[in-house]
Amino acid sequence: NVDHKLEPTSIQHSDVKAQEEVVTYEVNKQVAVIRMGSKPVNAVSSHLKSSIEEKVSEANKDTNVKAIVLMSAIPGFFIAGADITEFKPKTKTEDPTTRLPSRLEGSTKPIVAAIDGFCLGGGLETAMGCTARVATPNSRLGLPELNLGIIPGWGGTQRLPRLIGVKKAMELMLTMKPISGKEAHDLKLVDQLCESNQLLSTAIQLALSIDMSKNIKSLHRQDRLESKAELEQIFAHLEKMVDPRQPQQRQALNAVKAGVTRGGDEGLVAEEEESFNVHKPTAKALQHLFFAERATSKIPNVPAYNKKINSVGVIGGGTMGGGIAIACLENGIKVTLKEVNQKFLDAGLERIKNTFKSKLERKRINQKQFDAALNNLTGTISYEGFQTLDCVIEAVLEIVDLKKSVFKDLSKHCNKECILGTNTSTIDIESIASDLDCRDRIIGLHFFSPANVMPLLEIIRTSHTSNEIIAAGLQLSKQLRKTPVVVKNCVGFAVNRIFFPYGGAAGFLVDRGVHPYRIDKALKNFGFGVGPFRMSDIVGLDVGVMTSNSMKGAYSDRAYDGQLKQIMVDQKRLGDKVGRGYYIKGKPDEEGIADLIKASQNRANNPKPLKNQNEFTDADIQEILLLPVVNEACRVVQENLVYRVSDLDVASVMGMNFPRFRGGIVAWADVFLGAKKTFEKLDRLYQETGMEMFKPCEYLKKCADNNKSLESGL
Ligand code: CAA
């Protein structure tokens, strides 16, 4: 009963499609050189595939040609994979020998793949179908298909194990991370390494040296597979490694196993069957996210920003300010850290330096990077030098008047083009900016803690923020290698706003008799790294209370404060920073917490349990916590606060660690439940409990009534 109503995101692929796919053919020293030039990334569309096949066939017929080189005309990209925009659900299995790599492997003349840049998915599979491979040391080779919910379906599960062994091949597939050309050469996946300017000549030389009568196809190699005994061990280990929630992992393993035991040709057939049976909702969710992540920076009417941000002032050297400074320094941006007095400044600078020292010790960075980062860091207790900064981000205490006075100072001390950012998470940015003449340059730049680690940057625009400053914010996110989500000003912005009912619903369940550890387990099983109570310990219960108070102020009708949280705070069990919260030093405290739970239920006047504690399934708990979040996300859409619905999927995955294989908060509801079922489930919870957080909002109701997906934006 899965509803597959998820519609394509609003991203325009027309520019990918509109590019003419150019495959050129020339003969150089009796070698046919076939160059692929399908912008932007040489994704293999059906058209590019047939163009390559045509040229290979031409070369095979051309009596002047002894060998073939396949390379790219696009700098930085060999092939980024199959064209994802052409993916559609298969209605039947296909003949795997018609795939491009098998076609290339059938060539009577040797083909050398000359790789310089990204060589991913179907790109690497194509290269493995060639007779040999030459690559530049910094090329990136990998099979990231599992990240799209599918398996390498062009022979990757067969040829890669036969070229580098099962252990390494499965590692590449499961981690989805590309390796460098140099590493690929060490693994013998690549036959020869050379620099970019030598690529063609090296490939030609290699191609001419290959004797096809002695060549063994990648698909039939045996010499690099592990021994039978080793394989048994490897497979036993992999059986335990694959995540049952991500069926594509098991399917890739099945295909590899089939090939190793039954031979490459039968392996290809098994791979096709596994490909056909991939779990479609997971694939849909992950492919949706791929495009959603690339769409967030596309904001209408925002001009191109052609400058680089070279210098950032950070006001406040606490946890957030320090993290922001580190993020900038790690990406080559000069930082001026400002504090109110020398003591605080020294402490702030020390924390930043210690972070880099620890990175150096753990070999995450080298000495050169360490020196460069610290040379780019200066501290100050005045506004001296602020006149030349490109951007300033304030991260002072969450006190409105304090923030106002900081921005008043900044309006005097910064130049007229400086981006004036606030990292507030709870204060109305409109009110900070209201009476300043620089209000068009004031923007929310909301980092997530730890700011140098979390990949999301919320960019908040007030009614005054100019498009140029939005462009500058997008540029900053690019330089910091973060994914931006642009949100119009509202309390909680995107992530805190849509997730505020999550904690409320968890508290609500505890008051009705469900154990917090049971709730944490259900959410972990869903795919979150930690459940809501463990998360609360990590963040700090006092911080959680402050955030939820500001949410309560704005959205009181749907707020719910579990009694347990208050009891914990009263008992000074504030979480990891004091060693005691819902857990003690991260470990369950069954005994200690039992009395507190009882007390909380008493305080809540022992409301009628929804059902017996043992009757709650994981799915019940997950839905009670997450459906109100979907509902709030729909409200954000209803209020027109984001540019596209899928931005909230990206925000949930990157800001809250919502499991990416579920596609993001709205996509999850759409793909795995459907709008109608989401509406019905929420409505039933609302009828049963009378709690406003479950009352389906207008937008959700409209989607359900009109049989539209929640991503449709209506
Ligand atoms: N198909 C279609 N479009 C693709 C694409 C693909 N495989 N890879 C990238 N694009 C598009 C992007 O959507 C983007 O389009 P817009 O400009 O319209 O947003 C454009 O190409 C540029 O991509 P990025 O913005 O991601 O550029 P980047 O330089 O930051 O990253 C990259 C380049 C690392 C190659 C990244 O694009 C990427 O990871 N691509 C996907 C790689 C992948 O998953 N390959 C496997 C595909 S599935 C497959 O091959 C199945 C199989 O087994 C045969």
Side-chain angles (χ1 to χ4, degrees):
N1 268 351
V2 173
D3 182 351
H4 292 291
K5 287 280 156 41
L6 189 69
E7 286 164 4
T9 50
S10 53
I11 180 173
Q12 293 300 312
H13 297 299
S14 49
D15 44 353
V16 180
K17 288 281 165 200
Q19 294 288 342
E20 202 185 326
E21 285 167 358
V22 203
V23 178
T24 61
Y25 179 97
E26 72 187 32
V27 179
N28 185 335
K29 298 189 183 120
Q30 292 192 296
V31 173
V33 179
I34 299 172
R35 281 195 179 83
M36 305 165 287
S38 178
K39 285 184 181 165
V41 296
N42 267 337
V44 182
S45 60
S46 49
H47 180 62
L48 180 61
K49 173 184 186 278
S50 53
S51 306
I52 297 168
E53 284 175 0
E54 256 171 44
K55 302 287 189 248
V56 169
S57 163
E58 189 179 333
N60 270 296
K61 285 186 204 132
D62 190 336
T63 49
N64 291 323
V65 165
K66 285 197 171 145
I68 303 161
V69 166
L70 179 66
M71 65 191 299
S72 169
I74 302 174
F77 297 94
F78 175 71
I79 295 175
D83 186 339
I84 306 168
T85 63
E86 283 192 356
F87 285 4
K88 39 183 180 297
K90 290 184 189 174
T91 52
K92 58 179 173 36
T93 53
E94 289 160 23
D95 175 1
T97 60
T98 61
R99 305 268 184 249
L100 179 61
S102 288
R103 292 267 200 236
L104 298 181
E105 207 166 39
S107 164
T108 52
K109 295 180 183 173
I111 309 181
V112 170
I115 303 160
D116 186 14
F118 285 107
C119 174
L120 302 175
L124 178 55
E125 294 176 286
T126 299
M128 290 191 292
C130 294
T131 329
R133 287 146 295 282
V134 176
T136 56
N138 293 330
S139 288
R140 309 294 297 162
L141 296 87
L143 290 182
E145 282 92 337
L146 300 187
N147 209 10
L148 295 167
I150 56 173
I151 69 169
W154 287 0
T157 64
Q158 304 306 309
R159 292 188 182 90
L160 191 59
R162 284 168 188 277
L163 285 168
I164 65 171
V166 168
K167 186 164 178 258
K168 206 66 205 172
M170 279 306 299
E171 190 184 307
L172 244 71
M173 285 184 239
L174 289 172
T175 61
M176 299 165 281
K177 288 209 178 91
I179 52 171
S180 68
K182 161 90 179 58
E183 289 167 282
H185 183 247
D186 293 344
L187 291 170
K188 299 193 187 141
L189 172 58
V190 158
D191 302 273
Q192 233 169 295
L193 269 189
C194 65
E195 291 306 324
S196 272
N197 57 1
Q198 307 278 309
L199 190 66
L200 180 58
S201 58
T202 311
I204 287 178
Q205 224 172 30
L206 180 63
L208 287 172
S209 72
I210 296 172
D211 176 354
M212 284 304 265
S213 67
K214 295 197 183 127
N215 179 56
I216 302 171
K217 294 175 178 175
S218 306
L219 190 64
H220 297 148
R221 284 192 88 120
Q222 292 284 359
D223 55 324
R224 296 183 189 168
L225 285 174
E226 294 89 342
S227 71
K228 216 167 157 215
E230 281 170 323
L231 282 172
E232 258 172 39
Q233 269 190 2
I234 293 168
F235 284 131
H237 174 70
L238 287 166
E239 286 292 339
K240 286 186 238 144
M241 291 280 296
V242 292
D243 179 350
R245 295 164 306 186
Q246 302 202 57
Q248 73 275 25
Q249 297 190 355
R250 157 142 310 281
Q251 285 162 324
L253 177 58
N254 288 349
V256 170
K257 254 188 185 171
V260 167
T261 45
R262 308 210 296 264
D265 293 312
E266 282 197 43
L268 279 189
V269 177
E271 179 190 90
E272 175 64 20
E273 270 162 20
E274 295 293 346
S275 282
F276 181 70
N277 288 322
V278 288
H279 189 240
K280 305 226 167 25
T282 304
K284 191 165 238 178
L286 280 165
Q287 287 161 34
H288 161 78
L289 204 55
F290 175 86
F291 291 114
E293 282 168 349
R294 283 157 181 79
T296 61
S297 55
K298 294 177 176 134
I299 307 297
N301 305 322
V302 166
Y305 191 82
N306 298 322
K307 282 180 281 184
K308 254 188 120 178
I309 294 162
N310 294 316
S311 53
V312 169
V314 177
I315 309 211
T319 311
M320 282 317 289
I324 295 167
I326 294 165
C328 293
L329 293 167
E330 280 176 337
N331 289 290
I333 300 175
K334 287 193 167 74
V335 170
T336 304
L337 185 75
K338 180 180 178 304
E339 259 296 357
V340 280
N341 60 40
Q342 196 61 40
K343 190 172 151 218
F344 286 180
L345 179 62
D346 290 344
L349 291 171
E350 197 57 23
R351 268 196 297 272
I352 297 170
K353 285 179 189 163
N354 284 341
T355 303
F356 281 101
K357 269 186 203 150
S358 144
K359 279 173 186 284
L360 183 66
E361 276 159 19
R362 286 179 293 131
K363 295 198 164 55
R364 297 284 160 90
I365 54 170
N366 57 34
Q367 187 68 43
K368 208 170 142 201
Q369 289 166 314
F370 176 83
D371 294 340
L374 293 199
N375 283 340
N376 273 343
L377 174 66
T378 45
T380 177
I381 51 171
S382 73
Y383 283 105
E384 202 183 320
F386 269 55
Q387 199 41 246
T388 60
L389 295 176
D390 296 331
C391 170
V392 178
I393 304 171
E394 77 67 26
V396 302
L397 293 175
E398 292 285 89
I399 302 168
V400 185
D401 289 340
L402 179 60
K403 303 239 179 215
K404 277 188 170 173
S405 80
V406 167
F407 278 96
K408 216 175 192 169
D409 289 342
L410 291 177
S411 71
K412 278 189 252 153
H413 295 285
C414 296
N415 67 63
K416 295 277 174 253
E417 286 180 7
C418 183
I419 309 152
L420 303 176
T422 168
N423 179 55
T424 182
S425 53
T426 55
I427 291 176
D428 178 9
I429 302 177
E430 206 83 50
S431 76
I432 303 175
S434 60
D435 51 3
L436 295 175
D437 59 2
C438 58
R439 59 192 185 181
D440 59 324
R441 285 187 285 125
I442 296 182
I443 186 173
L445 294 171
H446 185 219
F447 291 76
F448 290 75
S449 185
N452 52 319
V453 176
M454 292 294 278
L456 181 69
L457 178 63
E458 280 184 337
I459 296 180
I460 298 98
R461 76 180 307 162
T462 71
S463 55
H464 304 289
T465 312
S466 71
N467 278 335
E468 286 70 23
I469 292 296
I470 295 295
L474 292 170
Q475 170 67 21
L476 180 69
S477 74
K478 195 169 165 193
Q479 284 182 233
L480 297 180
R481 289 175 295 162
K482 294 197 185 290
T483 300
V485 166
V486 180
V487 198
K488 289 174 207 153
N489 188 39
C490 71
V491 175
F493 317 132
V495 174
N496 287 343
R497 159 97 191 250
I498 64 177
F499 275 91
F500 93 88
Y502 179 68
F508 162 83
L509 267 185
V510 173
D511 287 349
R512 276 158 183 75
V514 186
H515 198 288
Y517 298 164
R518 172 78 188 86
I519 297 173
D520 273 359
K521 191 162 155 248
L523 273 296
K524 261 192 93 163
N525 289 344
F526 184 79
F528 282 97
V530 293
F533 294 97
R534 184 71 199 101
M535 176 56 98
S536 200
D537 275 0
I538 295 168
V539 173
L541 271 78
D542 49 345
V543 177
V545 167
M546 195 180 81
T547 312
S548 79
N549 281 347
S550 85
M551 297 298 146
K552 248 184 343 198
Y555 317 114
S556 58
D557 56 334
R558 336 192 259 288
Y560 182 85
D561 251 350
Q563 296 297 330
L564 182 58
K565 182 168 74 182
Q566 206 44 59
I567 291 177
M568 304 292 288
V569 173
D570 293 346
Q571 302 245 338
K572 304 264 181 299
R573 293 182 67 140
L574 298 180
D576 289 1
K577 61 182 158 193
V578 296
R580 283 154 55 82
Y582 295 102
Y583 295 75
I584 292 194
K585 296 200 169 123
K587 299 269 180 299
D589 173 30
E590 300 281 358
E591 255 177 53
I593 205 170
D595 290 342
L596 302 178
I597 294 171
K598 215 174 271 158
S600 80
Q601 284 157 2
N602 279 340
R603 264 209 212 171
N605 294 328
N606 295 312
K608 191 169 146 277
L610 289 176
K611 49 179 146 181
N612 192 318
Q613 152 108 265
N614 300 329
E615 289 168 17
F616 276 102
T617 62
D618 271 6
D620 290 332
I621 296 172
Q622 292 158 0
E623 285 174 5
I624 289 175
L625 262 69
L626 292 171
L627 288 177
V629 182
V630 175
N631 202 17
E632 197 61 31
C634 288
R635 274 205 182 83
V636 166
V637 175
Q638 188 176 298
E639 292 169 25
N640 204 16
L641 297 172
V642 283
Y643 287 90
R644 53 191 82 66
V645 185
S646 63
D647 287 356
L648 295 172
D649 292 324
V650 178
S652 65
V653 170
M654 300 210 164
M656 267 303 280
N657 289 324
F658 186 88
R660 55 177 304 122
F661 62 88
R662 310 264 183 199
I665 187 69
V666 185
W668 165 68
D670 252 344
V671 175
F672 294 87
L673 300 171
K676 199 152 182 282
K677 239 187 191 166
T678 304
F679 173 83
E680 285 165 3
K681 280 173 183 281
L682 273 166
D683 197 43
R684 200 171 57 233
L685 281 167
Y686 177 56
Q687 302 300 337
E688 275 175 24
T689 65
M691 305 278 294
E692 288 287 321
M693 70 171 116
F694 297 118
K695 184 179 178 183
C697 73
E698 272 311 302
Y699 174 77
L700 208 157
K701 183 169 183 316
K702 233 158 85 185
C703 291
D705 287 349
N706 293 300
N707 212 12
K708 286 271 189 194
S709 74
L710 300 175
E711 294 279 348
S712 66
L714 271 187

